[in-house]
């Protein structure tokens, strides 16, 4: 995720735009606070309307309101259920503050007897709660899934812009040649006065829904986006990232995704437990009548919405309109403002269909700082209900592009004819301006520098050099290590790719190197989804047995710093031949052939007992292996960087199955075995209670007399960083198994507890707990303590054992941590619960991880 944010920053400070600056019509802006005349309490969700027009707004949960309107109007009206209406005259054409005090309407008062304290809000006998319970009871029949078949045309657009820019920022020397990118707007709008548009995408689709079996199929008819040079940015990944931030809003679901977090819907089954509801008005100007229902969280720091619903009084209790926002105190990082609007229209069958959703969010480091404003609009029309279609229409991935995708879908004339809603002024010229921007030499230089700094590669056209964070590192075996490498790009060929590096260790005085050649079958970059290529490679280099890393190179400079003994290494000579195929539905398979020669390094020794009972050194282990990997990741989202895919984790599981077979006697292979491993990972969301990432894994090796380097050396971590997929208090090579099962639970509370502590809630810290458990063992035929014909377990300098098999007791470690420190750092206190009698192990440890989330 951090890598994605880096790409964003590079994008923000160099990119994209829209039309020439335009003048904004003169407006009147009125703001203030609305309170009760007698008690002084603020009044939430008061209607504020320009007299004689449809222009209006509402006060927020603290009674604050802001309203902007044309300067030719001068009267505004305040209305609130149970209070006397009030009108005010304003001064046209300026920004002014008018605080309002509203009096209770005596006609609505009933005689009451007051005893003690005034009764607070409660659900019992509350007509607002009774109404929302009716909405909840009827939501199954009001949502789309109540029909057997539904189809409709869908138009969507996503636009993003650098927002709230000062005049000084706009007039900086660096932007002297880019003034055509800036757009002015009303400073009271979300985003502020000066905007620098950055991204745009439009998509037109036909969507088909089938209830049984449940299927939702989207056939894309046209797609258009502002694209950047692919050597700088993964355009598809950028689009996936923005769509992950601005997901579909379905108020009838129990949870609604906002900026990668799930917030409880105001009409979820449990909504009355966590929200307060208020009847604010009855709208009698249309049929059926509507009730305006306001809602706020019971605790304003919880991950919940506030806003209003308009509910029909026709016995169906459908949602006809909805407005959603969040409290400023909610623990969402960088969220300066959020507005979501949902509009429904009545269909021929009498039910309300979603006709339009608008989600706008602005992210920033502070209230007055420059930010990033994005908006996603989705419009629906031409609904057809309960018309069966052929089964073939629903098969395949959830989203596919029609074979007849319009060749003119990039032209403005085409989109002018098919758009459901016109582009806003902020969006009109962004496609043209992005193309223009990329022809400006200074912009390309800026992007080139940003790519080197954040992605680690410097492009020279047909060749790029990197990654720069591996150029220097150090370790106990090689000492001071220098490395230099690079690879070819699509400018050389879309079919054939080459990659290489050379490294030298000044302590062992040995050269290491890597060579690879890859052929792409689909004429696409081998770093672009979907993969389909064959690769041959040869590597001579060092490795720590049992260290498995994600999203980072093993000779990354930062990984040079490790705790404890770190002097057991391998020199590897590895030849690989791989065939990889990904399908559009995110099912993939990988076929591999590996010829691997291992030579122990540092104080690691390969030894076994010979027929005379003497310990005999084994200078090298030779192995030949065939492999098959099957992976299925439905609806997977990721950003493809220069080296790794950075996953955008969602609610869908990821399944991985691997099978490896050792072939004795083929190309010097010395062992026969069969290894099967399976892994399932999934994120579970719990609304305002946070979410949990759970990974389960298991493996089994079939074979006898297998040396320990070919067994399962469990993933250990001896750095000071908290690694998600490793055991953070386990030492390298500490545990070896030929069968095992494990579970890893990471639970993120998202500040649910800290947000309720007065001195902590302003820091927006978040709680995290984890548990990792591993059970397994070694059969006698592979255990050097029971079988002298296999390699002995490694020992330390004092000839004491450092490697073990798991006993009946599982290995368990857990942690409690605080994340979101400075919105970036996670610190965990890690506890190891057992196997504490092993040498050089720690019962406690502190580990740090960089984690940047919304």
């Amino acid at each position: 995720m951090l890598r994605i944010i880096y790409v964003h920053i590079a994008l923000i400070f160099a990119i994209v735009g829209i039309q020439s600056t335009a003048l904004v019509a003169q407006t009147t802006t009125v703001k203030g606070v609305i309170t009760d005349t007698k008690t002084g309490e603020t009044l939430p969700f008061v209607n504020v309307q320009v007299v004689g027009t449809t222009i209006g707004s509402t006060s927020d949960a603290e009674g604050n309101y802001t309203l902007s309107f044309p300067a030719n109007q001068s009267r505004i009206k305040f209305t609130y259920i149970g209070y006397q209406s009030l009108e005010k005259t304003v001064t046209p054409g300026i920004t002014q503050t008018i605080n309002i005090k509203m009096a209770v309407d005596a006609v609505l008062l009933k005689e009451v007897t007051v005893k003690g304290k005034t009764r607070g809000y409660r659900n019992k006998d509350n007509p607002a709660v009774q109404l929302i319970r009716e909405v909840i009871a009827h939501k199954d029949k009001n949502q789309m899934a109540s029909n057997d078949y539904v189809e409709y045309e869908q138009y969507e657009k996503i636009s993003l812009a650098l927002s709230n820019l000062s005049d000084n920022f706009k007039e900086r020397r660096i932007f002297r040649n880019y003034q055509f990118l800036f757009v002015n707007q009303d400073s009271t709008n979300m985003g502020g006065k000066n905007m620098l548009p950055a991204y745009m995408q439009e998509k037109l689709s036909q969507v088909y829904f089938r209830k049984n079996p449940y299927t939702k199929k989207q056939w894309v008819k046209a797609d258009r986006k502002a694209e950047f040079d692919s050597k700088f940015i993964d355009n598809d990944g950028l689009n996936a990232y923005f769509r992950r931030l601005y997901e579909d809003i379905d108020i009838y679901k129990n949870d609604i995704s906002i900026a990668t977090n799930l917030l409880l819907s105001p009409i979820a089954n449990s909504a009355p437990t966590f929200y307060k509801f208020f009847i604010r008005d009855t709208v009698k100007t249309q049929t059926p009548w509507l009730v305006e229902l306001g809602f706020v969280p019971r605790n304003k720091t919880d991950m919940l919405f506030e806003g209003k619903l308009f509910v029909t009084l026709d016995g169906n209790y459908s949602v006809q309109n909805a407005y959603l926002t969040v409290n400023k105190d909610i623990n969402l990082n960088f969220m300066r403002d959020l507005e979501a609007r949902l509009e429904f229209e009545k269909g021929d069958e009498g039910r309300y269909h979603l006709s339009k959703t608008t989600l706008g969010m602005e992210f920033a480091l502070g209230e007055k700082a420059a930010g990033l404003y994005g908006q996603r609009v989705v419009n629906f029309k031409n609904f057809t209900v309960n018309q069966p279609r052929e089964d073939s229409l629903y098969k395949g991935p959830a989203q596919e592009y029609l074979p007849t995708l319009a060749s003119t879908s990039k032209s403005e004339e085409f989109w002018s004819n098919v758009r459901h809603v016109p582009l806003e002024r902020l969006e009109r010229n962004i496609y043209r301006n992005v193309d223009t921007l990329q022809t400006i030499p200074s912009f390309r230089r800026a992007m080139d520098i940003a790519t080197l700094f954040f992605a680690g590669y410097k492009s020279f056209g047909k060749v790029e050099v990197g990654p720069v964070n591996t150029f220097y590192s150090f370790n106990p075996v090689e000492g001071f290590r220098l490395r230099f490498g690079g690879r070819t790009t699509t400018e050389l060929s879309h079919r054939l790719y080459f990659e290489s590096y050379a490294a030298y260790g000044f302590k062992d005085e040995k050269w290491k190197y890597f060579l690879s050649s890859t052929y792409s079958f689909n004429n696409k970059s081998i770093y672009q989804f979907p993969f389909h290529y064959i690769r041959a490679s040869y590597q001579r280099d060092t490795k720590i047995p049992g260290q498995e890393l994600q999203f980072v190179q093993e000779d990354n400079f930062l990984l040079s710093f490790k705790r404890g003994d770190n002097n057991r290494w391998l020199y590897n000579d590895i030849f690989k031949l791989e065939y990889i195929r990904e399908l559009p539905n995110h099912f993939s398979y990988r076929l591999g052939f590996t010829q691997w020669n291992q030579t122990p390094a540092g104080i690691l020794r390969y030894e076994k007992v010979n027929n005379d009972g003497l310990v005999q050194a084994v200078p090298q282990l030779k192995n030949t292996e065939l492999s098959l990997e099957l992976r299925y990741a439905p609806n997977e989202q990721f950003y493809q960087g220069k080296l790794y895919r950075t996953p955008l984790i969602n609610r869908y599981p990821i399944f991985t199955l691997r099978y490896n077979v050792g072939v004795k006697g083929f190309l010097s292979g010395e062992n026969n075995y069969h290894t099967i491993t399976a892994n399932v990972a999934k994120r579970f969301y719990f609304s305002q209670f946070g979410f949990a990432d759970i990974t389960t894994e298991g493996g089994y090796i079939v074979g006898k007399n297998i040396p320990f380097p070919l067994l399962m050396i469990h993933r250990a971590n001896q750095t000071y960083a908290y690694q998600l997929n490793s055991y953070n208090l386990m030492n390298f090579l500490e545990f070896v198994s030929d069968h095992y099962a494990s579970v890893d639970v990471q639970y993120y509370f998202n500040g649910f507890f800290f947000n309720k502590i007065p001195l902590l809630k302003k820091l927006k810290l978040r709680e995290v707990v984890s548990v990792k458990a591993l059970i397994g063992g070694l059969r006698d035929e592979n255990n050097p303590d029971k079988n002298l014909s296999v390699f002995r377990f490694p020992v330390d300098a004092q000839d004491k054992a450092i490697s073990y098999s798991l006993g009946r007791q599982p290995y368990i470690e857990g942690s409690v941590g605080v994340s979101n420190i400075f919105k970036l750092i996670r610190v965990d206190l890690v506890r190891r619960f057992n196997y504490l009698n092993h040498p050089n192990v720690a019962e406690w440890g502190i580990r740090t991880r960089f984690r940047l989330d919304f």
Side-chain angles (χ1 to χ4, degrees):
M1 184 64 72
L2 185 59
R3 191 173 290 109
I4 295 174
I5 298 299
Y6 285 160
V7 174
H8 264 90
I9 296 172
L11 179 71
I12 287 172
F13 282 97
I15 353 186
V16 285
I18 214 172
Q19 64 189 52
S20 301
T21 307
L23 295 176
V24 180
Q26 191 178 23
T27 61
T28 302
T29 299
V30 185
K31 57 185 177 180
V33 181
I34 306 173
T35 58
D36 184 294
T37 300
K38 192 170 184 178
T39 67
E41 294 181 355
T42 57
L43 299 178
F45 304 121
V46 176
N47 285 313
V48 186
Q49 189 167 12
V50 179
V51 176
T53 73
T54 59
I55 301 172
S57 180
T58 58
S59 63
D60 62 18
E62 281 77 40
N64 300 298
Y65 77 94
T66 301
L67 182 63
S68 297
F69 49 90
N72 59 356
Q73 303 291 332
S74 61
R75 296 284 292 174
I76 56 176
K77 184 177 182 179
F78 300 84
T79 58
Y80 196 53
I81 291 292
Y83 285 77
Q84 296 174 358
S85 298
L86 185 67
E87 288 192 18
K88 287 286 184 179
T89 300
V90 302
T91 304
I94 65 171
T95 298
Q96 54 211 280
T97 299
I98 301 178
N99 295 323
I100 301 298
K101 294 183 178 182
M102 300 188 69
V104 173
D105 192 341
V107 177
L108 298 179
L109 291 177
K110 295 181 179 180
E111 184 178 346
V112 295
T113 302
V114 178
K115 294 182 179 180
K117 295 177 64 177
T118 303
R119 186 179 68 183
Y121 179 92
R122 67 178 188 176
N123 284 351
K124 187 177 181 181
D125 299 325
N126 186 334
V129 175
Q130 293 172 7
L131 178 60
I132 201 65
R133 292 194 191 281
E134 291 289 352
V135 175
I136 294 170
H138 288 79
K139 70 178 184 177
D140 285 343
K141 74 174 186 178
N142 286 325
Q143 57 186 318
M144 183 179 68
S146 64
N147 300 285
D148 292 328
Y149 299 91
V150 179
E151 59 187 73
Y152 52 87
E153 186 178 76
Q154 174 178 311
Y155 165 80
E156 59 181 293
K157 63 175 181 177
I158 299 178
S159 60
L160 291 104
L162 194 63
S163 62
N164 198 39
L165 303 175
S166 66
D167 290 333
N168 290 335
F169 180 91
K170 177 182 175 182
E171 294 167 2
R172 287 178 180 174
R173 182 177 179 182
I174 191 174
F175 296 113
R176 181 179 300 170
N177 297 327
Y178 305 103
Q179 290 299 307
F180 69 95
L181 299 174
F182 291 90
V183 174
N184 286 346
Q185 65 169 8
D186 184 350
S187 61
T188 62
N189 291 343
M190 190 188 299
K193 180 182 177 182
N194 290 320
M195 304 279 283
L196 178 59
Y199 180 81
M200 179 77 182
Q201 183 189 22
E202 297 177 274
K203 184 181 292 184
L204 183 71
S205 308
Q206 188 70 21
V207 180
Y208 298 89
F209 168 79
R210 180 178 62 185
K211 186 176 182 178
N212 190 20
Y214 184 92
T215 312
K216 189 176 181 181
K217 181 78 173 192
Q218 182 178 9
W219 286 99
V220 180
K221 298 192 286 188
D223 191 7
R224 182 191 191 194
K225 56 178 172 280
E227 292 191 326
F228 307 99
D229 193 324
S230 59
K231 76 177 182 180
F232 299 134
I233 292 175
D234 171 25
N235 291 284
D236 292 337
L238 199 63
N239 175 47
Y241 183 45
F242 292 150
R243 287 182 59 83
R244 181 72 177 95
L245 290 180
Y246 294 82
E247 288 196 74
D248 292 334
I249 300 177
D250 186 351
I251 200 167
Y252 283 105
K253 289 185 176 180
N254 282 332
D255 297 296
I256 298 172
S257 179
I258 296 291
T260 73
N261 294 275
L262 285 193
L263 277 64
L264 190 73
S265 168
I267 61 172
N269 295 339
S270 60
T273 303
F274 300 101
Y275 285 102
K276 295 180 180 180
F277 293 92
F278 309 90
I279 294 178
R280 299 174 50 204
D281 201 356
T282 302
V283 182
K284 301 180 180 180
T285 56
Q286 65 180 71
T287 303
W289 289 1
L290 302 174
V291 173
E292 184 179 340
L293 193 63
F295 58 91
V296 294
R298 290 177 180 265
N299 187 312
K300 65 180 182 179
T301 62
D302 281 349
M303 298 279 275
L304 297 168
F305 292 106
E306 58 185 45
K308 58 185 176 180
L309 305 171
F310 290 87
V311 179
T312 64
L313 292 180
D314 57 356
N316 290 319
Y317 299 99
S318 305
V319 177
Q320 195 253 16
N321 270 285
Y323 171 77
L324 308 175
T325 185
V326 293
N327 193 281
K328 297 292 185 183
D329 294 327
I330 194 173
N331 198 336
L332 275 175
N333 281 340
F334 317 113
M335 181 74 72
R336 183 156 62 194
D337 209 347
L338 178 147
E339 288 185 357
R341 299 182 184 273
L342 289 76
E343 303 172 23
F344 296 78
E345 63 181 23
K346 198 171 186 178
D348 296 336
E349 78 286 3
R351 299 285 177 81
Y352 280 85
H353 301 290
L354 189 61
S355 61
K356 184 180 179 181
T357 66
T358 303
L359 174 60
M361 293 189 291
E362 187 179 21
F363 302 97
L365 295 178
E367 277 298 314
K368 296 183 180 180
L372 182 68
Y373 170 69
Q375 183 185 72
R376 182 173 183 237
V377 177
V378 186
N379 201 81
F380 312 88
K381 70 178 185 180
N382 300 334
F383 277 87
T384 302
V385 177
N386 292 331
Q387 179 176 325
R389 295 287 188 176
E390 295 180 358
D391 289 344
S392 59
L393 185 71
Y394 302 97
K395 293 181 178 179
Q399 177 182 286
E400 286 193 80
Y401 286 79
L402 286 173
T404 57
L405 190 68
S407 59
T408 58
S409 64
K410 289 185 179 292
S411 71
E412 182 55 40
E413 181 181 359
F414 172 86
W415 284 100
S416 296
N417 293 328
V418 302
R419 283 190 190 104
H420 292 192
V421 292
L423 294 182
E424 296 183 5
R425 192 169 64 87
L426 191 69
E427 304 164 339
R428 291 174 194 157
N429 293 328
I430 191 169
Y431 296 112
R432 183 189 65 196
N433 287 347
V434 168
D435 292 340
T436 302
L437 189 65
Q438 295 184 92
T439 65
I440 300 175
S442 59
F443 171 79
R444 297 189 65 84
R445 285 195 299 269
M447 289 300 294
D448 205 26
I449 294 171
T451 302
L452 173 65
F453 186 74
F454 295 123
Y457 278 88
K458 172 68 175 73
S459 177
F460 295 94
K462 296 180 180 180
V463 175
E464 55 186 8
V465 174
V468 295
N469 57 9
T470 64
F471 284 178
Y472 163 65
S473 61
F474 58 89
N475 62 70
V477 172
E478 296 176 275
F480 173 51
R481 171 184 165 120
L482 293 180
R483 168 177 153 169
F484 185 79
R487 63 192 185 187
T488 62
T489 70
T490 52
E491 291 190 26
L492 178 67
S493 172
H494 282 269
R495 292 283 189 185
L496 198 58
Y497 298 83
F498 301 95
E499 183 174 2
S500 179
Y501 71 75
Y504 184 76
F506 284 82
K507 182 178 180 179
D508 65 357
E509 299 181 343
K510 293 179 181 292
W511 282 97
K512 294 87 182 174
Y513 54 86
F514 172 79
L515 300 166
S516 77
S517 176
T518 308
Y519 181 81
S520 173
F521 290 98
N522 57 9
N523 202 30
K524 285 186 176 183
S525 168
I526 57 174
Y527 308 105
Q528 181 179 350
F529 177 84
F531 293 164
H532 187 196
Y533 62 78
I534 187 169
R535 169 182 286 164
S537 65
Y538 183 81
Q539 181 183 44
R540 169 170 286 185
D541 211 335
T542 57
K543 178 179 172 59
I544 300 176
Q547 177 173 265
E548 297 293 337
L549 301 173
Q550 287 183 318
F551 318 125
V552 67
Q553 298 275 43
E554 290 194 1
D555 52 357
N556 186 303
F557 170 73
L558 294 178
L559 294 184
S560 299
F561 302 92
K562 291 183 171 65
R563 62 177 178 85
D565 293 333
N566 180 34
N567 48 12
R568 298 166 190 86
W569 287 63
L570 295 175
Y571 288 114
N572 290 326
D573 290 291
I574 304 174
F575 172 77
K576 281 188 177 182
L577 186 64
E578 299 174 287
Y579 172 75
I580 300 174
R581 177 74 186 273
E582 289 182 330
L583 303 179
N585 64 353
H586 293 277
F587 175 81
S588 64
Y589 56 91
R590 179 191 300 254
L591 298 171
F593 165 79
T594 304
Q595 209 287 319
W596 181 15
N597 295 338
Q598 303 180 21
T599 302
I603 68 168
L604 181 64
R605 299 289 182 268
Y606 286 172
E607 299 174 330
K608 64 180 181 179
V609 179
N610 61 21
N611 295 331
D612 299 326
L614 300 176
V615 176
Q616 177 182 350
V618 180
Q620 193 175 65
L621 175 63
K622 298 181 179 181
N623 192 57
T624 302
E625 186 176 270
L626 302 175
S627 62
L628 168 66
E629 177 181 290
L630 304 177
R631 185 176 184 273
Y632 182 48
N635 300 296
E636 183 180 33
Q637 297 169 299
F638 51 80
Y639 181 88
Q640 178 67 59
K642 291 285 187 178
L643 284 172
Y644 302 103
R645 284 178 175 175
T646 303
L648 311 177
I649 302 175
N650 53 32
R651 71 183 76 195
Y652 299 97
I654 298 176
F655 305 92
T656 307
L657 179 67
R658 299 183 183 91
Y659 171 66
N660 300 67
V661 54
V663 185
K664 185 176 182 179
F666 179 52
L667 295 180
S668 304
E670 298 173 345
N671 294 276
N672 285 321
Y673 58 87
H674 301 266
T675 303
I676 299 174
T677 59
N679 179 291
V680 180
K682 186 181 184 333
R683 172 166 289 182
F684 295 87
Y685 289 93
F686 304 102
S687 297
Q688 69 272 27
F689 299 107
F691 61 88
D693 290 334
I694 300 179
T695 303
T696 58
E697 187 174 281
Y700 195 90
I701 298 180
V702 179
K704 297 181 179 181
N705 302 322
I706 304 173
F708 77 86
L710 302 180
L711 297 174
M712 295 162 179
I713 301 174
H714 295 293
R715 296 184 292 268
N717 173 31
Q718 286 189 211
T719 71
Y720 295 97
Y722 186 93
Q723 293 182 7
L724 294 176
N725 68 325
S726 301
Y727 299 95
N728 290 284
L729 290 180
M730 185 185 291
N731 292 331
F732 295 136
L733 275 171
E734 185 175 356
F735 288 103
V736 180
S737 302
D738 59 16
H739 60 280
Y740 75 100
S742 67
V743 62
D744 180 356
V745 179
Q746 303 280 328
Y747 195 108
Y748 303 87
F749 286 96
N750 278 350
F752 182 79
F753 299 106
F754 286 161
N755 288 347
K756 297 172 176 61
I757 301 175
L759 297 179
L760 287 179
K761 64 181 182 181
K762 289 188 177 181
L763 298 176
K764 294 193 174 182
L765 302 176
R766 299 176 181 177
E767 320 85 347
V768 57
V769 297
S770 74
V771 176
K772 300 184 180 189
L774 169 69
I775 189 169
L778 269 178
R779 300 188 305 276
D780 290 349
E781 59 264 31
N782 296 318
N783 190 338
D785 295 334
K786 305 290 181 65
N787 182 359
L788 297 180
S789 64
V790 298
F791 285 11
R792 294 202 313 166
F793 276 155
V795 295
D796 61 16
Q798 287 75 41
D799 205 34
K800 295 181 180 179
I802 61 167
S803 295
Y804 308 88
S805 62
L806 286 158
R808 294 182 178 179
Q809 187 180 37
Y811 173 90
I812 300 175
E813 69 177 41
S815 71
V816 293
V818 179
S819 68
N820 213 41
I821 302 171
F822 306 118
K823 296 182 171 61
L824 181 65
I825 300 171
R826 167 181 169 178
V827 177
D828 281 74
L829 176 63
V830 188
R831 166 77 188 278
R832 174 169 167 160
F833 291 97
N834 46 21
Y835 295 101
L836 299 175
N837 59 333
H838 291 179
N840 300 316
V841 301
E843 183 178 0
W844 298 91
I846 294 178
R847 301 290 177 266
T848 303
R849 177 177 175 82
F850 290 95
R851 175 186 173 86
L852 199 156
D853 270 345
F854 291 104

